[in-house]
């Protein structure tokens, strides 16, 4: 009943999107999502409140932390 939360793996179009963190300079708020390569439009996926949320995002989409870019 009370157990570990399972992370479901998800996929995205690796040719047209790249993973990114949208960061606010003023408040420090971070949002994880994907940046469309051709148009530069950012698609929000989840709010990052701490390292745990970032780890969940990385695990859900099977990402390498080095491939995530930051947008300010």
């Amino acid at each position: 009943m009370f157990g570990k939360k399972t992370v479901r793996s998800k996929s995205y179009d690796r040719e047209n999107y790249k993973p990114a963190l949208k960061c606010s300079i003023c408040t420090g708020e971070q949002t994880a999502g994907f940046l469309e390569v051709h148009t530069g439009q950012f698609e929000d996926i989840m709010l990052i409140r701490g390292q745990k949320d970032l780890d969940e995002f990385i695990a859900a989409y099977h990402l390498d932390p080095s491939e995530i870019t930051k947008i300010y």
Side-chain angles (χ1 to χ4, degrees):
M1 184 160 144
F2 297 108
K4 200 175 207 184
K5 184 177 178 182
T6 59
V7 177
R8 294 186 179 146
S9 63
K10 301 173 185 178
S11 64
Y12 68 98
D13 184 6
R14 293 184 185 267
E15 293 179 15
N16 296 319
Y17 291 94
K18 64 180 182 177
L21 284 177
K22 189 173 184 182
C23 306
S24 171
I25 295 172
C26 298
T27 62
E29 182 179 80
Q30 294 182 348
T31 306
F34 295 99
L35 185 66
E36 190 172 354
V37 176
H38 304 292
T39 63
Q41 185 176 4
F42 184 75
E43 180 182 342
D44 297 342
I45 300 296
M46 67 183 295
L47 180 66
I48 303 297
R49 291 182 221 115
Q51 187 62 39
K52 183 179 175 185
D53 290 337
L54 183 59
D55 292 338
E56 286 179 16
F57 176 70
I58 290 170
Y61 289 96
H62 302 289
L63 300 173
D64 181 23
S66 64
E67 66 183 327
I68 299 175
T69 58
K70 286 192 175 185
I71 304 168
Y72 294 98

